[in-house]
Amino acid sequence: MFALEKFLAPLLFPLSLVLMGLGVGLGLLWFSRWQRAGKAVVTVAAVVLVVAGHGWTANALLTPLEQGQVTFAPRGEVPPDAHNIRWVVVLGGGVGGDEHLPPTECLSDASLRRLVEGIRLHRLLPAARLVTSGGAVFTPRPAGEVMRDAACALGVSPERIAVQPVGRNTVEEVAAVAGLVGQDSFLLVTSAAHMPRALEACRKQGLHALPAPTDFQAAGSDGVWTPGDIYPSGAGLHQSERAMYEYLGRLRQRLR
């Protein structure tokens, strides 16, 4: 079931829907008499591609996921009641399996940003241990181990890192983290768009997670326009797909 979900979910992403629409539309145009239907399907697919690839659409999808979240101790000033925190938990966000590259090169963009934020907070809290979390998902090594090696390469002492190498998705990761942190309060580091889903999983486990979001993707409304804001882009399409991944993940998590 896990593998089936991983292969089926991408079919609902904007680019996959556009390609399927184009395939159906071109098939109708070339191999059937339904020319008007083929033109309509191709037109709709092209419009979806333009809309999904625009930054305005990506922001509209990401903003509800990231709304109201703030970085923990953004200027290095830790709240007095947070000095007794014992754990900084960094959830995995994807790793590669090429052992010929340094560990920092094996992290996805999301994993790298999460880990860097986790290390920053770990240095602000001398009494806390850094927890790198995540199991092996289509890779030979667990994400937690790869992130542990990357943290050591960035100067963190191995004695201050706890590896949680189990969990193929958010629910499984959080369940494994529960066995490590128990009832202790801990900082939960993950991408801002992923934070609502991660906190929901923590609540179901009865954990005391304090959100420490990073990897913000929704652009702020600063009133400054650039030529790039006018056109669709690959970056906009990627952000729309990240938002859809989170919405599908939340739906799947609630159905379970």
Side-chain angles (χ1 to χ4, degrees), residues 124-163:
L124 292 176
L125 302 168
R129 295 187 70 186
L130 181 67
V131 180
T132 55
S133 172
V137 183
F138 307 122
T139 56
R141 296 187 64 203
E145 292 183 1
V146 178
M147 289 199 296
R148 183 269 316 276
D149 294 345
C152 292
L154 294 174
V156 181
S157 173
E159 291 77 18
R160 297 191 63 194
I161 303 177
V163 180

Side-chain angles (χ1 to χ4, degrees), residues 149-209:
D149 294 345
C152 292
L154 294 174
V156 181
S157 173
E159 291 77 18
R160 297 191 63 194
I161 303 177
V163 180
Q164 191 291 102
V166 180
R168 300 170 299 173
N169 54 40
T170 302
V171 173
E172 292 181 4
E173 274 192 69
V174 169
V177 166
L180 178 65
V181 304
Q183 293 301 307
D184 293 338
S185 297
F186 64 95
L187 290 181
L188 180 66
V189 182
T190 189
S191 301
H194 180 243
M195 185 62 76
R197 186 154 58 104
L199 288 177
E200 183 177 350
C202 288
R203 283 192 292 269
K204 290 183 177 180
Q205 290 289 333
L207 300 179
H208 304 290

